[in-house]
């Protein structure tokens, strides 16, 4: 990685020791920043849930060093899991497998499965190699309070966990590895019911279902009612505090004009040319570029004092699936908001 401040080796070693002692550490991954704890220490895992304000029955992903033994963590591992690990690890793919009996249930919210991922960010890899001599697993959800937008910089993590970052707080340190390159969370594929249900895509990400199918010859299906629960799959998630509405380009132009005429402050996130707004960010018109900057943009727009964050709906299509999924959840529950802002008196 170039142009990025790498934390010193000594700092990474200190973070590994803190994890070994049961503390929490914020660390960068290529997708988003994680809030890490020793996956085999149930008290440390409980501290993650407490810090996030997350329900105890929501499983967290276990991060592994490159080359880690999958069969230490999981049982009945299908050949497809090894194929996918060989193809995409280190990288933004999480696999759900049957949890090995000796792995504490706390890490999977009591389910009999475990989510495993080997991240590619050099700082995450260095931390995983320093932690328990490379043989441990770091349980880490995204380092945000439950339901909030995921963090893509170290500063976002500090902003989310101000109290926990204070001396004596639950968060021992936050490693800074620059802005996360991918910008949205990993693709999650469930392989724990492969024989009966085939592979199931629990959360779209930058590794597409088609890319997975190219490796294992089976296209992951959309989740059914019996699929394992995932908080990132709740209808409302990844949401800023300001309401978010998403509209296609033409509708958005009209809405923007109407709302501004009604005295409303609009923060605009768009990728095509648009009239001026109270605040605006123009994102690249490519799925990777858009994903990279999406969460930082939502956070930035959340601090502008706008009445509404209006987002130009990205194109449909496989490459945009992850971005559209996150935006839909960010906008969930705001459907009547444009109407409401037009029809109520502006303050
Ligand atoms: O990119 C990512 O995946 C980031 C970075 C830090 O690795 N992590 C992340 O974690 O997004 P989190 O906890 O915010 O989201 C993980 C998702 C949740 O929706 C969780 O329910 C699901 O993975 N998950 C984890 N283990 C699972 C399991 N055993 N069965 C079903 N879903 C699982
Ligand atoms: Mg999350």
């Amino acid at each position: 990685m170039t142009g990025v401040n790498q934390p010193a080796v000594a700092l990474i070693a200190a973070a590994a020791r803190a994890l070994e002692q049961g503390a929490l550490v914020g660390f960068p991954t290529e997708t988003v920043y994680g809030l890490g704890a020793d996956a085999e220490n149930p008290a440390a895992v409980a501290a993650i849930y407490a810090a996030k304000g997350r329900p105890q029955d929501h499983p967290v992903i276990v991060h592994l060093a490159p080359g880690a033994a999958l069969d230490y963590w999981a049982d009945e591992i299908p050949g497809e899991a090894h194929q996918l690990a060989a193809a995409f690890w280190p990288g933004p793919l999480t696999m759900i497998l049957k949890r090995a009996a000796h792995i504490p249930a706390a890490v999977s919210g009591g389910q009999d499965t475990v989510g495993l991922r080997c991240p590619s960010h050099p700082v995450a890899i260095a931390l995983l190699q320093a932690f328990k001599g490379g043989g441990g697993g770091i349980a880490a959800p995204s380092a945000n309070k439950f339901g909030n937008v995921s963090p893509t910089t170290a500063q976002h993590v500090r902003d989310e966990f101000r109290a926990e970052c204070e001396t004596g707080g639950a968060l021992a340190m936050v490693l800074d590895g620059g802005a996360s390159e991918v910008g949205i969370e990993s693709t999650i594929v469930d392989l724990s019911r492969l024989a009966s249900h085939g592979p199931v895509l629990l959360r779209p990400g930058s590794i597409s279902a088609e890319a997975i199918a190219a490796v294992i010859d089976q296209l992951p299906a959309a989740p059914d009612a019996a699929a394992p629960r995932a908080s990132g799959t709740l209808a409302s998630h990844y949401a800023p505090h300001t309401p978010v509405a998403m509209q296609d380009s033409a509708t958005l132009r009209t809405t923007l004009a109407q709302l501004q005429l009604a005295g409303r402050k609009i923060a605009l996130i768009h990728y095509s040319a648009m009239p001026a707004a109270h605040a605006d960010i123009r994102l690249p018109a490519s799925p990777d570029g858009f994903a990279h900057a999406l969460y930082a943009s939502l956070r930035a727009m959340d601090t502008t004092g706008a009445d509404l964050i209006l987002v130009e709906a990205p194109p449909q299509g496989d490459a945009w699936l992850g971005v559209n999924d996150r935006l839909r959840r960010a906008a969930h529950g705001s459907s009547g908001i444009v109407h409401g802002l037009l029809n109520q008196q502006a303050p």
Side-chain angles (χ1 to χ4, degrees):
M1 243 176 23
T2 52
V4 164
N5 274 345
Q6 294 284 341
V9 173
L11 202 58
I12 292 175
R17 296 300 87 76
L19 287 170
E20 288 163 4
Q21 286 158 17
L24 303 185
V25 167
F27 67 100
T29 85
E30 73 279 20
T31 57
V32 301
Y33 274 65
L35 181 65
D38 179 353
E40 295 177 273
N41 178 343
V45 172
I48 298 180
Y49 287 92
K52 276 190 66 106
R54 184 186 216 187
Q56 299 275 347
D57 65 346
H58 285 213
V60 287
I61 295 171
V62 178
H63 297 72
L64 305 175
L70 275 187
D71 60 4
Y72 176 78
W73 299 93
D75 277 344
E76 300 169 41
I77 304 170
E80 285 83 349
H82 293 291
Q83 288 177 294
L84 289 174
F88 296 117
W89 283 1
L93 179 73
T94 297
M95 298 193 289
I96 308 299
L97 298 168
K98 291 230 158 65
R99 176 168 50 86
H102 65 102
I103 302 302
V107 83
S108 47
Q111 303 189 43
D112 60 1
T113 54
V114 63
L116 301 175
R117 157 165 133 79
C118 173
S120 66
H121 193 295
V123 174
I125 290 180
L127 179 65
L128 284 158
Q129 286 170 337
F131 173 63
K132 291 184 171 177
I138 301 179
S142 51
N144 52 275
K145 299 278 182 182
F146 184 65
N148 282 4
V149 175
S150 298
T152 54
T153 68
Q155 188 57 47
H156 294 163
V157 180
R158 294 186 208 107
D159 291 346
E160 284 282 320
F161 296 102
R162 276 176 210 281
E164 293 81 356
C165 283
E166 280 164 17
T167 312
L171 194 45
M173 64 178 89
V174 180
L175 294 174
D176 190 342
S180 294
E181 198 169 325
V182 175
I184 59 171
E185 303 80 357
S186 60
T187 302
I188 305 182
V189 64
D190 178 21
L191 301 174
S192 69
R193 304 176 302 151
L194 196 63
S196 54
H197 292 72
V200 178
L201 189 72
L202 296 186
R203 183 173 70 183
S206 67
I207 294 177
S208 67
E210 289 69 23
I212 291 171
V215 174
I216 61 172
D217 276 336
Q218 290 181 79
L219 188 66
D224 59 78
R229 295 180 305 274
S231 57
T233 63
L234 296 177
S236 172
H237 212 70
Y238 313 118
H241 302 288
T242 312
V244 178
M246 187 162 52
Q247 297 189 332
D248 66 76
S249 317
T251 312
L252 186 144
R253 281 169 180 283
T254 311
T255 305
L256 180 63
Q258 289 173 336
L259 285 169
Q260 299 205 123
L261 205 59
R264 299 301 183 175
K265 295 194 193 114
I266 306 304
L268 194 60
I269 297 178
H270 59 117
Y271 57 91
S272 41
M274 285 289 164
H278 172 70
D280 91 281
I281 296 183
R282 187 167 181 176
L283 298 182
S286 72
D288 290 351
F290 198 104
H292 170 73
L294 174 61
Y295 286 154
S297 303
L298 286 170
R299 277 177 186 270
M301 294 292 99
D302 212 9
T303 63
T304 60
D307 301 306
L308 176 70
I309 301 173
L310 201 50
V311 183
E312 181 179 11
Q316 298 298 311
D318 295 332
W320 289 92
L321 209 60
V323 158
N324 275 307
D325 170 79
R326 302 313 188 277
L327 279 171
R328 223 174 11 254
R329 295 179 209 288
H332 183 80
S334 308
S335 59
I337 189 76
V338 171
H339 194 252
L341 285 173
L342 283 172
N343 289 295
Q344 291 150 24
Q345 199 69 13

